[in-house]
Amino acid sequence: AHTLDLDLKLTDPCQRWLENQREILSLKELRECFELYRDCIKDPEPADLVELLQSFYVLEKHEVHDETKVSPKETKIGYVKTSSAASTREDVELPRDIVLEFPFVHGWNKTIRLPLRLNYTVRGGVIQVVVLRPDVEEIKLRCLQELAAEIREKLQVMVLV
């Protein structure tokens, strides 16, 4: 029996994606990430996305309400501060869904398609982005299984993953 070990080299975008699995990013970090993956962003358009993210800032609103006279010298006042993401561009919302696509390993033309869901929150006067990603190990296994199936079909050999 013969065995063949394949030394698969992950592509740079794939390696970066696997190494950077942070779930919470600042808007600045998200912009930097999108700049890094500019060639891999399939939806929405990368140039539009980076420009759009640059237009957002934190909008704070302060409301005073519910004045209540507690005593002749004391008044109780209700105060509410709200923070939200706003844009310098009209009628624009932060993108919720992003799709990245890049090759998995060198020498194989198959690409990985990664849908990302973005949720935004404002904490401490900073817009934070929670990035919901597909399971990394599941994606690696699926890619390896697809590659093994292709090798099995082309070479007519048994391939173990």
Side-chain angles (χ1 to χ4, degrees):
H2 300 288
T3 61
L4 170 69
D5 291 326
L6 292 177
D7 185 18
L8 302 175
K9 301 283 186 210
L10 298 176
T11 61
D12 291 341
C14 185
Q15 188 66 43
R16 279 194 309 264
W17 184 78
L18 291 172
E19 290 172 356
N20 185 14
Q21 291 298 308
R22 291 186 46 211
E23 294 179 354
I24 300 177
L25 303 169
S26 70
L27 205 55
K28 179 181 180 234
E29 290 168 324
L30 184 66
R31 278 194 311 263
E32 291 168 357
C33 183
F34 287 157
E35 283 287 348
L36 187 64
Y37 285 99
R38 180 181 285 271
D39 296 338
C40 303
I41 298 172
K42 296 302 172 198
D43 184 40
E45 283 296 316
D48 295 342
L49 184 59
V50 172
E51 181 184 326
L52 175 68
L53 290 176
Q54 290 172 343
S55 74
F56 279 89
Y57 62 95
V58 175
L59 176 65
E60 292 185 346
K61 291 183 181 177
H62 305 269
E63 295 178 36
V64 177
H65 59 87
D66 299 335
E67 283 189 28
T68 306
K69 198 92 165 150
V70 178
S71 70
K73 294 184 178 183
E74 187 179 347
T75 302
K76 187 177 180 181
I77 298 174
Y79 171 80
V80 176
K81 175 183 169 185
T82 57
S83 299
S84 60
S87 175
T88 56
R89 295 166 56 179
E90 291 185 29
D91 300 327
V92 174
E93 290 186 14
L94 286 164
R96 297 280 177 207
D97 296 295
I98 306 293
V99 177
L100 297 179
E101 189 173 295
F102 48 81
F104 180 59
V105 293
H106 290 284
W108 188 39
N109 61 1
K110 179 93 170 136
T111 59
I112 300 174
R113 191 166 177 82
L114 299 169
L116 305 176
R117 170 60 57 116
L118 307 178
N119 291 324
Y120 302 89
T121 186
V122 177
R123 289 205 179 110
V126 176
I127 299 174
Q128 291 186 328
V129 186
V130 177
V131 181
L132 304 174
R133 310 165 192 257
D135 183 277
V136 175
E137 293 304 316
E138 181 182 316
I139 288 175
K140 282 175 27 182
L141 180 60
R142 188 183 78 224
C143 287
L144 289 172
Q145 288 171 337
E146 287 178 25
L147 180 57
E150 195 172 308
I151 292 169
R152 188 178 309 115
E153 181 181 316
K154 286 183 179 179
L155 300 180
Q156 299 295 308
V157 295
M158 186 170 85
V159 179
L160 303 174
V161 177

